[in-house]
Amino acid sequence: MDERTVRRLLADVRRGEVSVDRAVKRLKALPYEGIGGFAAVDHHRTLRVGMPEVVFAEGKTAAQVAAIARRLAARGPLLVTRLSPEKAGAVRRAVRGATWDPVSRTLRKGRMSIPARGPVGVCCAGTSDIPVCEEAAATLDVMGVEVIRIYDVGVAGLHRLLSRREDLEACVALVVAAGMEGALPSVVGGLVGKPVVGVPTSVGYGASLNGIAALLGMLNSCAPNVTSVNIDNGFGAGFVAGLVARG
Amino acid sequence: MDERTVRRLLADVRRGEVSVDRAVKRLKALPYEGIGGFAAVDHHRTLRVGMPEVVFAEGKTAAQVAAIARRLAARGPLLVTRLSPEKAGAVRRAVRGATWDPVSRTLRKGRMSIPARGPVGVCCAGTSDIPVCEEAAATLDVMGVEVIRIYDVGVAGLHRLLSRREDLEACVALVVAAGMEGALPSVVGGLVGKPVVGVPTSVGYGASLNGIAALLGMLNSCAPNVTSVNIDNGFGAGFVAGLVARG
Amino acid sequence: MDERTVRRLLADVRRGEVSVDRAVKRLKALPYEGIGGFAAVDHHRTLRVGMPEVVFAEGKTAAQVAAIARRLAARGPLLVTRLSPEKAGAVRRAVRGATWDPVSRTLRKGRMSIPARGPVGVCCAGTSDIPVCEEAAATLDVMGVEVIRIYDVGVAGLHRLLSRREDLEACVALVVAAGMEGALPSVVGGLVGKPVVGVPTSVGYGASLNGIAALLGMLNSCAPNVTSVNIDNGFGAGFVAGLVARG
Amino acid sequence: MDERTVRRLLADVRRGEVSVDRAVKRLKALPYEGIGGFAAVDHHRTLRVGMPEVVFAEGKTAAQVAAIARRLAARGPLLVTRLSPEKAGAVRRAVRGATWDPVSRTLRKGRMSIPARGPVGVCCAGTSDIPVCEEAAATLDVMGVEVIRIYDVGVAGLHRLLSRREDLEACVALVVAAGMEGALPSVVGGLVGKPVVGVPTSVGYGASLNGIAALLGMLNSCAPNVTSVNIDNGFGAGFVAGLVARG
Amino acid sequence: MDERTVRRLLADVRRGEVSVDRAVKRLKALPYEGIGGFAAVDHHRTLRVGMPEVVFAEGKTAAQVAAIARRLAARGPLLVTRLSPEKAGAVRRAVRGATWDPVSRTLRKGRMSIPARGPVGVCCAGTSDIPVCEEAAATLDVMGVEVIRIYDVGVAGLHRLLSRREDLEACVALVVAAGMEGALPSVVGGLVGKPVVGVPTSVGYGASLNGIAALLGMLNSCAPNVTSVNIDNGFGAGFVAGLVARG
Amino acid sequence: MDERTVRRLLADVRRGEVSVDRAVKRLKALPYEGIGGFAAVDHHRTLRVGMPEVVFAEGKTAAQVAAIARRLAARGPLLVTRLSPEKAGAVRRAVRGATWDPVSRTLRKGRMSIPARGPVGVCCAGTSDIPVCEEAAATLDVMGVEVIRIYDVGVAGLHRLLSRREDLEACVALVVAAGMEGALPSVVGGLVGKPVVGVPTSVGYGASLNGIAALLGMLNSCAPNVTSVNIDNGFGAGFVAGLVARG
Amino acid sequence: MDERTVRRLLADVRRGEVSVDRAVKRLKALPYEGIGGFAAVDHHRTLRVGMPEVVFAEGKTAAQVAAIARRLAARGPLLVTRLSPEKAGAVRRAVRGATWDPVSRTLRKGRMSIPARGPVGVCCAGTSDIPVCEEAAATLDVMGVEVIRIYDVGVAGLHRLLSRREDLEACVALVVAAGMEGALPSVVGGLVGKPVVGVPTSVGYGASLNGIAALLGMLNSCAPNVTSVNIDNGFGAGFVAGLVARG
Amino acid sequence: MDERTVRRLLADVRRGEVSVDRAVKRLKALPYEGIGGFAAVDHHRTLRVGMPEVVFAEGKTAAQVAAIARRLAARGPLLVTRLSPEKAGAVRRAVRGATWDPVSRTLRKGRMSIPARGPVGVCCAGTSDIPVCEEAAATLDVMGVEVIRIYDVGVAGLHRLLSRREDLEACVALVVAAGMEGALPSVVGGLVGKPVVGVPTSVGYGASLNGIAALLGMLNSCAPNVTSVNIDNGFGAGFVAGLVARG
């Protein structure tokens, strides 16, 4: 049932061809989908306002990703995550003007233009966690949020972290990735009173349990301003931090 | 927004006091709750047709349970589960005509009158799993489904199980509870081609991991007609089997 | 020992050629298999009535699957599950008239002709869970049960799910596959009062623990009409739903 | 080394009694604690600006909590969490003007006066999760952030949730508590494009694993705006949401 | 249906009062239990020959245990395990001549008289594991198997273990209980070429995970003659070792 | 220090060249290894009497296995386990007269000649568990123990198992392999009063957790004559059963 | 067999009453215990040199602890750990001069007098971890090693930790206890190049999994000088650090 | 803010151009990084004194490792761990004079010259654990600590271990690697009163859980002188043992 149907019903009511009782009864019988279509509760638009169109490329073929990406890119800024080098070529050809970044393995086109209240910091201890950080940074970039990268700050070398305090404090929110014991979000959270989104990474071996150890570390953080997302979920962390930055 | 509001709007349309355009616009603006109340998509009624009103008493005070139970008992058949002896008295006083059963720890009043296609069998190997079975049986009873109890049939004493084959085959569905290795549903499922709802119980010790071992046993059943519910969830198993029996 | 042997023994007793004592002794000595054959407890026939012949191809060579499949196809409808493209060719050549489907990775031939009480709905949120759903659908198809596919309905986009309520309510049972948090069966179970068989899928990463998170979600469902099968077990879910549909 | 020491050193430098070289050398030798005290890197103040003084009472004696609470209450707004009825009396007597709430088990005194950008919604499906929600609400209250309670909205009864959409959209952030399968944050996150802080609760039994199932559900949320805190950590969730609300 | 029924049927056949056809039909209709009773497949007798009647008292009331124990004691040697001091009195009064042992928490009466091929050694490192060992010893005692106790032999004090080698070698099988890291069965298994039944005990704390660590230690034993039973299952270990001793 | 040293010392004592005091002192100073070598406690011989020389080939190169196998084959019967087809050729060339079996992936040469008290049964439900069973059978074969294979007996098709009861009862011990829910050892253990060594196999998927589910099933067996070895450890199970058969 | 036996044998050899051959044979037959007693390989003395006599009181009765403690106190310094207030009285009365400390729940008497190379630091973040730290400190005290307590240093408040750097660097080894995310040992390990023994504590809730999260944090430490002991094992950590301090 | 800034400020104070009050204020405002740079708390130097420069090569490209290694080799002794044969060539070419060892997969150049108090023993049961041991040995070698290899000593063959007691006792610390049940550190720890660093290895299958079983074994060691590092972490174990040896 679409708007036309409702419009016709109301016209019938107006003309006296349908009684109020009968109209009430018919409206009551509206299946949800009709209501969905008619009453315009397209909540997805709500979300879309604050987020780019996103494709999770893992487990999809290059052709599938290319098709979806092309369609979405027509509607607004586009972000493709977990796009391997093998598939990147095909997708780039499908979406003119898109750029692919080998570190974050993201493909992007366009940028949201919603004003943000300030930059988001993206932090980690080093080389291995950078891809996850860059996925967060790419997400923030497409959301139109400025990113400050703070990439060489580990808990076993505090002076480097302390030397970046000014940067940390300039941010409205922080994404902090960490593998192994996952303690960096706690330490950062203790330094600055901003929301810290921890991203456990699957970096480590043995008892790191592919990131579970780091995840538990973040969930048990002694700093109360730390929350956590799934292992290696740079996109999710960046997205939440971007929403915070938007206000 | 309730029916009255819609009714008034339609009357206004009829009288020509509100244009069709404007009425469409106002209907579009209906918040979901209005729609919920008005458009009568009370899906809960759908469920309620097939189920009694149920209260999970664990973690609630006797007074809380009594208050909820009294209110629900006014609307139809009532089932209170996990009702300890300590709380049972107060609840019985609150709901006239209700009976409490110490084995299943359920309190019941009334019975649905929807016809069932056949009885449901409730099976276990012995003493310790009987309370869970009786919770399932109590649920089926309130749903108006006949129950066949098959209670002394374990996988380490097959002859007892085999001697009840005729009973098993008379059922349209089976609830099979088992602790320890949780193999009984597989064996029963191999004997009769009916849906078997396995209920792992927390009976056991050590590596039974409070029912996890039995749960894994049921999830990995080599009999394809076995599904599983949560540990000790006699109510859920009985309810699903009752829905199957209803057809 | 078959019926003939018993018959001959009884004839001997009748003719007085074998004493009652001796006959009792010989009957006592019947091994179980004799009893099995004689006393006609061929429970396998019971099961077979309601199910096609099924081969789980994973872990078997193409030659092994082909040999088994040919033999079974001679007895009735055939279903081969988890049949990879590499092996499919050999098996198809072995079983004339069989068709192989690349999405569900099943090979089928024939259909049961037992009447069903109604269709079974097969639901999931999207692309990644479709192969598991199609395995369930293939199973239902061979069982002779009609399938309604409801494939683009996720918990983070409720309007699509709500728009399919009429379809959901037309079904006598539902198979609902979900990876990640595995919440879809709970939401579907809350909408319709029918048995819902949840199939956790191994879709996800990190803390999805290869489907364990989704499985736990289903086992802890707040909707009491949800049961669960093993991770990715589309066949089992379809089979149980088919049994329910059969009545 | 405190400010006086530095001041005296500088005075000496000024008077020419200590050379610049020697002063540099002495400043270099400052142990960190001196620096800590002197150089005013009181990062705690940073945090404190946005948060009340908080005491976690579990595992401390009434006397210990009372002593700490009195000292902290002298410095600003006070929040004591996990304060059981047994200890509450002693602590209330120690802190004049404090009020204790039996549902959230918090004791509060005072309120921050930092302006917030909007209210925070606190949601759950019902009775059992309310204490955790109230802990979050108490935290937000002491932070000076308005709270909108949305307490009867479960995933197995979507109409109640949908009827509160307007409230959900009025919030700048949401705290969503859920036990059992933990799906509510995903569903809420799909409805509104705001940061959602999920709080898994230990409500449930068997395979709920004391909240682990709910936690995994939130970490694997298909809604990208969901992050998670530790099980039953209402305070942490409220605090982070409060920081977001502050901007 | 018992032997008498069959006998009467055969006599009727003999007398020509019942036709062969009819007799075949009646025999076919024998329910399994009849077959069980008649065709002498009383496999339980098989087991019972080698084992005492056993009652697991945990989770049963004193009255229940007393009733079962009295009935079983009439049939042969009796063993009640996990019988707490609180319940022991009532059970002892019910079974004349039974003795209760506070360390193993077993109640015993009588002894099997099947000859064994040799003694069974029961070993552990010390005080905390002795109750489990004594449960095994009590089981062996009722089975009529001689027990050699070797109780002060830990892996961190090898000389005591080595000094008991002669005793170890005199045994036909060994029960070895160990908590904590559970390494004793491996070390014992490396010393003597006999079947070693490891019993992990729940002794330990923290990462002992209530005996799981010890269990894993035994399952991963580098000595190939080690098998394992459930945590704290002294009865099971004693029973299996007793079967080995019996030959 | 070897025998010669002791002998020379004693001769010196005898000749009066070394005093008793001094000899005592020197003997006291004997390092353990001397004692090991001298005092003839070659416990390894003890073990070796009952077992063939065994090589675990996994994780070793073909050359390493060949070298070890050649050396061991010179001392007695040889068994190489987990020997892949790729390495088998090189090892066969190194050990003349050895035969390699592709199903059990074992290479064997020779046979112990210690008399056994009876055959060992090796059981499983079908195709996938046969390699593990054959590893057990190969081990028993080299130990000189007769094997009865019972390979098509699953818990979801009891009649096949019951028809093999006579074979089961002929055995002095049973090796029972099972994947998925791992219930077969419990059922077999309930049928015959002999030691049953369960071998969980890694056959299954999803919640089978690579054999952990089957392992838990066996550890929680309701049949008290079941013990368990590590997942897929056919060798260990065969070896223990062989020791039992030896007596 | 003790020294006297050997001495007599040698005397017999000397007197020519026993031949060398026969003496060799008799010595060969020496059971290990004889060798153990005679050959003086009392390795326990080795350990005892560096450690006090220790009793783990948990799971023992007051009477048992008192008896053991009295016996051990006669031989040297005594340490009783995990001694609850209820049992402390009886044990103190049994061992004159012993003192019991309610925080560490240890009872001590005497002190080793082996010189140490320097003090050991014992660190934690606060109140809840102090009992575990004090158990380590008590152990070090009885070992005669000086302890530096550093008790208010958490990862979410780095300035307090940094202000104690001089103390940290004065130590030859560090015991660092931490619950929740267990990150303190990593941070301390990054500050000073000394062996750090991490003690995870069971402090925390929910996803702390009773200390498992902290344990995993320490095992995955990014500081390579961190090792770990069992959860709450203050004694073990103190003991190892004491051995390091001893040199 | 660097030394020059402070120097200039002090000069201004001296010249009277800046008041003491203002200088205090400016010093207070010093960001941490300034302090870090100025106050010369280069704690990394502390660590570096006792350790070589180390690169963890896993997860880095050959080019990345080569670049880092060349830079570090210029500053002191170099150790590269987890360097696969594929990458080794490129790195060797980058660092003149470095040698690569295929067993430990380490590349080394140079040696620290800090005197050690004694050798460190490196122990395991055999072939499979040797690579981990050699990684520890390589680490110790670069630290300038002598290594005693004790490589054929398993818990199921104690005589070999006992024959090496003298070597064990000569060491100031021990690294003990073990897979499977991980019992070797306990046995070694019971023999010698020195710090034992256990390294669980991922050697094993099935219930070894990739080294978790061995790890749990070490954490639950009944020998109090055992600590543990992460699975397969030979470098960490060697490094800690080296620190102990250094004193």
Side-chain angles (χ1 to χ4, degrees), chain B residues 218-229:
Chain B
M218 295 177 194
L219 290 168
N220 289 286
S221 175
C222 52
N225 46 341
V226 174
T227 63
S228 184
V229 296

mmCIF file of all heavy atoms in Angstrom, chain B residues 218-229:
data_model
loop_
_atom_site.group_PDB
_atom_site.id
_atom_site.type_symbol
_atom_site.label_atom_id
_atom_site.label_comp_id
_atom_site.label_asym_id
_atom_site.label_seq_id
_atom_site.Cartn_x
_atom_site.Cartn_y
_atom_site.Cartn_z
ATOM 1 N N MET B 218 24.438 -32.018 21.790
ATOM 2 C CA MET B 218 23.188 -31.919 21.029
ATOM 3 C C MET B 218 23.388 -31.138 19.729
ATOM 4 O O MET B 218 22.824 -31.479 18.694
ATOM 5 C CB MET B 218 22.114 -31.270 21.893
ATOM 6 C CG MET B 218 21.777 -32.162 23.085
ATOM 7 S SD MET B 218 20.579 -31.419 24.199
ATOM 8 C CE MET B 218 20.768 -32.532 25.618
ATOM 9 N N LEU B 219 24.199 -30.095 19.785
ATOM 10 C CA LEU B 219 24.441 -29.299 18.577
ATOM 11 C C LEU B 219 25.179 -30.112 17.521
ATOM 12 O O LEU B 219 25.055 -29.861 16.329
ATOM 13 C CB LEU B 219 25.249 -28.046 18.925
ATOM 14 C CG LEU B 219 24.497 -26.996 19.741
ATOM 15 C CD1 LEU B 219 25.463 -25.947 20.266
ATOM 16 C CD2 LEU B 219 23.416 -26.340 18.890
ATOM 17 N N ASN B 220 25.972 -31.073 17.964
ATOM 18 C CA ASN B 220 26.729 -31.902 17.036
ATOM 19 C C ASN B 220 26.056 -33.241 16.796
ATOM 20 O O ASN B 220 26.707 -34.181 16.346
ATOM 21 C CB ASN B 220 28.137 -32.125 17.584
ATOM 22 C CG ASN B 220 28.973 -30.868 17.517
ATOM 23 O OD1 ASN B 220 29.394 -30.495 16.438
ATOM 24 N ND2 ASN B 220 29.186 -30.208 18.634
ATOM 25 N N SER B 221 24.792 -33.318 17.080
ATOM 26 C CA SER B 221 24.082 -34.585 16.952
ATOM 27 C C SER B 221 24.219 -35.160 15.553
ATOM 28 O O SER B 221 24.123 -34.461 14.550
ATOM 29 C CB SER B 221 22.601 -34.374 17.251
ATOM 30 O OG SER B 221 21.903 -35.573 17.013
ATOM 31 N N CYS B 222 24.426 -36.469 15.487
ATOM 32 C CA CYS B 222 24.478 -37.121 14.182
ATOM 33 C C CYS B 222 23.068 -37.416 13.677
ATOM 34 O O CYS B 222 22.915 -37.847 12.542
ATOM 35 C CB CYS B 222 25.320 -38.384 14.248
ATOM 36 S SG CYS B 222 24.822 -39.475 15.579
ATOM 37 N N ALA B 223 22.057 -37.189 14.486
ATOM 38 C CA ALA B 223 20.678 -37.335 14.023
ATOM 39 C C ALA B 223 20.202 -35.965 13.565
ATOM 40 O O ALA B 223 20.219 -35.011 14.344
ATOM 41 C CB ALA B 223 19.795 -37.859 15.154
ATOM 42 N N PRO B 224 19.775 -35.849 12.302
ATOM 43 C CA PRO B 224 19.499 -34.510 11.768
ATOM 44 C C PRO B 224 18.184 -33.910 12.244
ATOM 45 O O PRO B 224 17.892 -32.772 11.914
ATOM 46 C CB PRO B 224 19.470 -34.733 10.251
ATOM 47 C CG PRO B 224 19.042 -36.148 10.104
ATOM 48 C CD PRO B 224 19.592 -36.888 11.294
ATOM 49 N N ASN B 225 17.399 -34.641 13.008
ATOM 50 C CA ASN B 225 16.125 -34.088 13.460
ATOM 51 C C ASN B 225 16.203 -33.507 14.862
ATOM 52 O O ASN B 225 15.185 -33.294 15.515
ATOM 53 C CB ASN B 225 15.011 -35.142 13.374
ATOM 54 C CG ASN B 225 15.434 -36.481 13.944
ATOM 55 O OD1 ASN B 225 16.628 -36.749 14.082
ATOM 56 N ND2 ASN B 225 14.479 -37.310 14.290
ATOM 57 N N VAL B 226 17.423 -33.231 15.339
ATOM 58 C CA VAL B 226 17.611 -32.690 16.687
ATOM 59 C C VAL B 226 17.952 -31.211 16.628
ATOM 60 O O VAL B 226 18.865 -30.807 15.909
ATOM 61 C CB VAL B 226 18.745 -33.442 17.424
ATOM 62 C CG1 VAL B 226 19.038 -32.786 18.764
ATOM 63 C CG2 VAL B 226 18.392 -34.908 17.610
ATOM 64 N N THR B 227 17.226 -30.382 17.376
ATOM 65 C CA THR B 227 17.623 -28.994 17.579
ATOM 66 C C THR B 227 17.817 -28.810 19.075
ATOM 67 O O THR B 227 17.501 -29.688 19.861
ATOM 68 C CB THR B 227 16.544 -27.999 17.088
ATOM 69 O OG1 THR B 227 15.359 -28.197 17.862
ATOM 70 C CG2 THR B 227 16.249 -28.192 15.630
ATOM 71 N N SER B 228 18.337 -27.665 19.478
ATOM 72 C CA SER B 228 18.655 -27.487 20.891
ATOM 73 C C SER B 228 18.181 -26.139 21.406
ATOM 74 O O SER B 228 18.075 -25.167 20.663
ATOM 75 C CB SER B 228 20.170 -27.608 21.087
ATOM 76 O OG SER B 228 20.505 -27.538 22.454
ATOM 77 N N VAL B 229 17.890 -26.107 22.698
ATOM 78 C CA VAL B 229 17.597 -24.837 23.368
ATOM 79 C C VAL B 229 18.659 -24.620 24.451
ATOM 80 O O VAL B 229 19.575 -25.421 24.598
ATOM 81 C CB VAL B 229 16.184 -24.835 23.993
ATOM 82 C CG1 VAL B 229 15.103 -24.946 22.907
ATOM 83 C CG2 VAL B 229 16.033 -25.947 25.006
#
